[in-house]
């Protein structure tokens, strides 16, 4: 997201050489297996369709990223196959 927003935000900025911070709202989701996970939340408006796309991302290396990785494999193991 930063790769898209940062160039647009600094294109006409007189202080282009200074770093900018784009803060994403954060949302804490509660999952029954992995507990609370705090994620960045970006909302993209699709105005001509009267819709919104919500994108949740975890900070790289954060506990939230680890929790999402764990969630991606929970339930994929087969327990009905004889040993």
């Amino acid at each position: 997201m930063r790769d898209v927003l940062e160039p647009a935000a600094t294109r006409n900025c007189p202080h282009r050489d200074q770093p900018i911070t784009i803060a994403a709202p954060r949302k804490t989701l509660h999952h029954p297996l992995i507990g609370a996970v705090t994620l960045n939340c970006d909302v993209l408006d699709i105005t001509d369709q009267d819709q919104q796309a919500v994108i949740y991302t975890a900070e790289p290396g954060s506990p939230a990223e680890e929790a999402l990785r764990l969630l991606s494999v929970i339930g994929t193991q087969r327990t009905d196959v004889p040993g």
Side-chain angles (χ1 to χ4, degrees):
M1 201 66 183
R2 178 178 297 279
D3 295 339
V4 173
L5 294 177
E6 195 166 307
T10 60
R11 188 175 299 126
N12 295 318
C13 180
H15 306 288
R16 276 182 256 186
D17 56 338
Q18 296 177 355
I20 64 168
T21 300
I22 300 171
R26 297 177 65 84
K27 183 168 188 159
T28 300
L29 306 173
H30 298 277
H31 190 276
L33 297 176
I34 61 171
V37 181
T38 301
L39 303 169
N40 295 328
C41 175
D42 293 298
V43 180
L44 304 173
D45 287 315
I46 308 169
T47 53
D48 62 334
Q49 299 290 321
D50 196 29
Q51 296 178 351
Q52 292 180 325
V54 181
I55 302 166
Y56 294 103
T57 56
E59 292 292 329
S62 69
E65 180 188 38
E66 291 297 318
L68 291 180
R69 288 188 188 281
L70 175 61
L71 187 59
S72 73
V73 297
I74 289 177
T76 61
Q77 302 86 3
R78 293 190 54 193
T79 57
D80 61 342
V81 178

